[in-house]
Amino acid sequence: MTLRSAPDHYIGIDVGTGSARACIIDTTGDIKALASENIKLWQPASYGGTHYEQSTTDIWNAICLCVRSVLATSSIPPTSIRGIGFDATCSLAVFTHDTDAPVPVTGPDFTNDGNDRNVILWLDHRPLAEAEAINATGHPLLKYVGGKMSVEMEIPKVLWLKNNMPEELWERCKFYDLADALTHIATGEETRSFCSAVCKQGFVPVGVDGSVKGWQQDFLENIGLGDLVKNDFRKMGGVNGSGNFLSAGELVGGLCEKAAKELGLPAGIAIGSGVIDAYAGWIGTVGAKVKLSRDHLDESAAPNDVSQAFTRLASVAGTSTCHLAMSREPVFVPGVWGPYRDVLIPDFWMAEGGQSATGELIKHMLETHAAYDETVKEAEAAGKNIYDYLNDHLRHLKEETKAPSISYLGRHFFFYGDLWGNRSPIADPNMRGAIIGMSSDKSKDGMVLLYYSTMEFIALQTRQIIEAMNKAGHSILSIFMSGSQCQNEILMDLIATACDMPVLIPRYVNAAVVHGAAMLGAKAASADKDGKTEPLWDIMDRMSKPGKVVWSSGDPAEKKLLDTKYEVFLDQCRTQQEYRKKIDEALKGSTLEGVN
């Protein structure tokens, strides 16, 4: 009797802001097991809680727990795992180049408290002054990040460390995007991803605008980071052209013995080049099988052709929201990061818009309302989470008041929600929130109106970003969602109606991002003896699952209401900037000028 070997499987690993996740998929893309573990977040008291730090040691431990869990719950033999793919938040990880030890990023003394806090989280805004100084240079590479380098990117954080860290410690540092740090831990290789280096570190692929090495020496020297140029940019992963930089899922190397033992896997498993978490959301959604009308497809190509991706906006919505679009040629959009070449598919370009806080914005607006605690108790008594409970209450109010739509309930309430600044398309970190129509209502009804208006703001700003991208040359016709917000039916309806385009909800609502990471593992495992791998789009087409489509409500009155609210939204956006400018001009030359 001949024993049949186990079918092939792949592991995806996703590291978000608050947790690490792992899944196992088979060759058709079906998820066989899923696990999650919380990861730690530190906010040093000495900086008033404005700094956010994590630890690769803690994150790796959580990953190991997740991988061992999915292996156990699925009963899939570890020997059947052929590839592993990673994604993570675009956070900065720091190690020593001589001993590969985590370097603490906590000022002012930068000593290790035993937690290996070597990660500056993406949402850490400590390098505001550094970002302003970088943008003041007007260097040509800034056009590839929407005209301004965001404080959320990694070069401003590296510059902050240079300006604040003891020189002898700085000299020992090497820097990674978090996803690249994880592939380094898994393999021991120093390979970096185009996704991380191009999108968050100012790397310009060879051949773009005459780039020769990828890193722009004059830019780094101009902003005070000339040290990074030494030894052929060793601190940042070296120079392009020697296999040091790879597109998504290309083979980095085999799982090393140490990492294999910690994960409970055999050594040698193929490890794919990682991506930023939002980009894994693109991989896990835009290839979905879905029936769209001819108005929402590129009729010049087959329904499963890669060019269909050009019409699909991937909206990865969790704590914040990233809006990703692919194009065959570079499209420059003011206030939208990119265009970035080679980051997912070689020779294709990606653009990345975003909202700095969406899920976090909803959470904040609720938790700071007077009725929140009592409403949470009511939701728990009803066996519902707070969002489902509030959605039901909105539906109840609509029926009770005989309103023609839920949108009608908020017709005279105007909320603008850039509490954490604006990422796209204004690219202004100084933007803030505003409310017109506030009353003294402290009840649940008052809170649910604020809740609805916050969701309406998210939908209207999504429209603003899409319109900016299409005006510049993109051809977005549909929105492919992923992330926790997909579960909010009212929010999805609002986005579809406000943007007047279909919204696709993936089958794996809670796992689209980690599903995309697993596809990177499948790509790495497809490498032949020369390292050539199967095209990523072909893998996506084969492994993506059918999704559910949410259409615009089709109610002309509601559409007219939201169109009018959009005009007010744009006015709120514009006038806030005008008011700030007017005040700043009034204070020029006074003793108050420049006072925070």
Side-chain angles (χ1 to χ4, degrees):
M1 180 178 174
T2 302
L3 293 176
R4 296 179 63 183
S5 61
D8 293 346
H9 293 89
Y10 313 97
I11 290 177
I13 294 166
D14 162 46
V15 178
T17 300
S19 64
R21 311 180 83 193
C23 76
I24 295 180
I25 64 171
D26 63 16
T27 54
T28 70
D30 283 340
I31 292 181
K32 298 301 183 182
L34 184 67
S36 176
E37 288 287 334
N38 290 336
I39 56 178
K40 294 176 183 176
L41 174 64
W42 289 270
Q43 292 178 264
S46 58
Y47 290 97
T50 60
H51 291 199
Y52 297 83
E53 299 170 358
Q54 292 183 323
S55 160
T56 53
T57 301
D58 174 65
I59 290 169
W60 184 256
N61 288 339
I63 287 170
C64 292
L65 288 172
C66 289
V67 170
R68 288 179 176 273
S69 176
V70 293
L71 288 169
T73 57
S74 66
S75 297
I76 288 171
T79 52
S80 76
I81 306 300
R82 298 287 176 257
I84 303 174
F86 291 88
D87 77 74
T89 62
C90 52
S91 302
L92 179 70
V94 190
F95 294 82
T96 57
H97 65 74
D98 48 358
T99 64
D100 220 23
V103 174
V105 295
T106 309
D109 54 4
F110 298 92
T111 57
N112 195 333
D113 63 358
N115 290 304
D116 293 340
R117 288 155 57 177
N118 66 325
V119 176
I120 301 179
L121 194 65
W122 64 272
L123 58 74
D124 185 308
H125 281 202
R126 70 181 69 180
L128 273 170
E130 285 77 7
E132 289 176 2
I134 289 168
N135 291 325
T137 67
H139 192 279
L141 80 73
L142 296 176
K143 73 179 181 179
Y144 291 101
V145 290
K148 295 180 181 178
M149 186 166 281
S150 169
V151 68
E152 295 176 9
M153 293 181 178
E154 291 163 20
I155 288 298
K157 292 176 169 66
V158 173
L159 182 56
W160 185 91
L161 291 173
K162 172 71 163 60
N163 291 339
N164 290 274
M165 183 177 276
E167 184 177 355
E168 61 274 15
L169 183 58
W170 162 262
E171 287 294 332
R172 296 179 64 201
C173 289
K174 58 178 178 177
F175 304 97
Y176 300 81
D177 178 81
L178 182 53
D180 289 345
L182 298 176
T183 59
H184 169 66
I185 293 170
T187 64
E189 302 290 343
E190 291 291 346
T191 303
R192 311 300 172 91
S193 64
F194 279 125
C195 190
S196 299
V198 176
C199 297
K200 304 303 173 186
Q201 297 174 347
F203 187 97
V204 181
V206 171
V208 175
D209 273 359
S211 177
V212 176
K213 293 185 176 181
W215 301 112
Q216 306 302 295
Q217 180 172 339
D218 63 328
F219 169 73
L220 294 171
E221 291 174 343
N222 196 10
I223 66 173
L225 285 175
D227 287 353
L228 300 185
V229 177
K230 297 176 183 176
N231 300 311
D232 273 339
F233 306 90
R234 182 178 65 176
K235 286 179 177 287
M236 301 297 290
V239 296
N240 195 19
S242 59
N244 288 342
F245 296 84
L246 298 174
S247 295
E250 292 180 332
L251 181 64
V252 173
L255 185 65
C256 69
E257 293 284 352
K258 180 177 183 295
K261 183 178 180 180
E262 293 165 343
L263 292 166
L265 292 167
I269 293 171
I271 304 298
S273 181
V275 297
I276 298 162
D277 53 356
Y279 288 76
W282 184 93
I283 295 165
T285 55
V286 300
K289 311 295 189 299
V290 58
K291 291 183 179 179
L292 296 175
S293 68
R294 289 188 298 176
D295 292 339
H296 303 104
L297 290 169
D298 179 356
E299 290 190 83
S300 66
N304 65 339
D305 188 80
V306 65
S307 61
Q308 295 297 350
F310 306 155
T311 68
R312 301 175 178 181
L313 181 77
S315 185
V316 187
T319 304
S320 62
T321 298
C322 288
H323 304 285
L324 298 166
M326 178 177 279
S327 60
R328 195 178 300 277
E329 301 297 332
V331 178
F332 293 90
V333 188
V336 171
W337 300 340
Y340 304 129
R341 201 191 73 188
D342 299 336
V343 298
L344 290 183
I345 299 177
D347 298 324
F348 285 12
W349 299 77
M350 296 294 298
E352 180 184 349
Q355 294 161 286
S356 293
T358 49
E360 181 63 25
L361 176 65
I362 296 172
K363 180 172 176 281
H364 174 81
M365 299 311 295
L366 292 178
E367 290 180 350
T368 55
H369 195 277
Y372 178 73
D373 289 342
E374 186 60 34
T375 306
V376 167
K377 293 177 183 177
E378 293 179 14
E380 290 173 348
K384 297 178 180 179
N385 66 54
I386 186 66
Y387 305 108
D388 288 342
Y389 184 74
L390 291 177
N391 284 351
D392 285 346
H393 192 59
L394 282 169
R395 297 181 185 105
H396 167 73
L397 288 178
K398 172 182 175 293
E399 297 301 320
E400 184 179 63
T401 62
K402 295 181 171 54
S405 65
I406 289 174
S407 299
Y408 187 82
L409 297 172
R411 64 196 180 280
H412 292 150
F413 196 94
F414 308 95
F415 174 75
Y416 188 88
D418 275 334
L419 275 64
W420 283 266
N422 182 280
R423 188 186 299 176
S424 300
I426 308 303
D428 183 352
N430 296 310
M431 290 294 285
R432 292 297 180 261
I435 296 177
I436 299 172
M438 180 186 289
S439 74
S440 60
D441 188 353
K442 297 181 180 179
S443 71
K444 178 173 64 178
D445 287 356
M447 185 176 77
V448 82
L449 177 62
L450 180 60
Y451 167 67
Y452 165 78
S453 297
T454 305
M455 293 191 291
E456 183 181 80
F457 163 78
I458 292 169
L460 295 176
Q461 192 169 68
T462 301
R463 173 176 172 178
Q464 183 189 27
I465 292 168
I466 291 172
E467 287 188 354
M469 295 178 78
N470 280 345
K471 181 179 179 182
H474 285 282
S475 54
I476 297 163
L477 301 173
S478 56
I479 303 170
F480 282 56
M481 296 291 304
S482 63
S484 57
Q485 293 174 44
C486 290
Q487 299 169 86
N488 192 320
E489 292 183 3
I490 291 179
L491 177 57
M492 295 301 99
D493 289 341
L494 265 173
I495 292 175
T497 302
C499 298
D500 197 24
M501 57 180 59
V503 172
L504 186 284
I505 311 298
R507 173 183 290 185
Y508 297 123
V509 170
N510 296 311
V513 175
V514 71
H515 191 226
M519 293 185 202
L520 298 178
K523 180 173 171 64
S526 72
D528 61 19
K529 59 182 178 61
D530 297 318
K532 185 177 180 181
T533 56
E534 182 181 3
L536 181 59
W537 182 261
D538 291 355
I539 293 170
M540 292 165 58
D541 184 49
R542 184 173 71 252
M543 292 188 167
S544 297
K545 303 300 175 181
K548 167 189 159 188
V549 181
V550 177
W551 300 94
S552 173
S553 72
D555 180 351
E558 183 179 22
K559 184 66 172 68
K560 185 175 182 180
L561 171 61
L562 288 174
D563 284 347
T564 306
K565 294 290 287 281
Y566 182 60
E567 292 176 11
V568 177
F569 159 86
L570 293 175
D571 192 58
Q572 286 181 287
C573 181
R574 175 181 54 81
T575 54
Q576 179 183 155
Q577 297 172 86
E578 291 175 355
Y579 294 162
R580 199 185 325 131
K581 182 179 179 182
K582 184 176 291 189
I583 294 299
D584 289 346
E585 288 177 349
L587 294 177
K588 276 184 179 177
S590 77
T591 57
L592 296 177
E593 183 179 9
V595 177
N596 291 327

